[in-house]
Amino acid sequence: DASRAFDLGTKLDLYAAHHIQEYWVIDRSQNCVRVFQQPDSGAYQIQATHQLGDTIPLPECGGKTLAVTDTGL
């Protein structure tokens, strides 16, 4: 899918180059949420893939978490 390729390629690189601290991609083709953090030298240093049933930590929100469910994908 062209949108997925753009989101995980060009857009990801642009966000990292412009120091966007956190970038999330809802990857419907893989049924997961991809989280990219800590940009440095044009690339994200931390990358995590969260599958259905996982929870994503939200430290900036008082330690809350976000559940990955099929309704969110």
Side-chain angles (χ1 to χ4, degrees):
D1 164 84
S3 177
R4 181 178 184 273
F6 179 73
D7 289 346
L8 294 173
T10 302
K11 191 173 182 181
L12 177 68
D13 294 342
L14 286 170
Y15 277 38
H18 287 89
H19 307 286
I20 304 301
Q21 293 301 304
E22 191 164 284
Y23 174 56
W24 290 31
V25 176
I26 308 302
D27 189 341
R28 290 183 177 270
S29 69
Q30 299 296 311
N31 289 325
C32 66
V33 177
R34 300 181 189 279
V35 179
F36 302 88
Q37 299 170 305
Q38 294 184 3
D40 185 41
S41 301
Y44 284 99
Q45 304 306 302
I46 297 175
Q47 301 176 22
T49 301
H50 301 276
Q51 305 293 335
L52 291 173
D54 289 349
T55 56
I56 302 172
L58 303 171
E60 299 295 325
C61 295
K64 295 184 189 245
T65 60
L66 179 67
V68 180
T69 65
D70 58 352
T71 56
L73 295 173

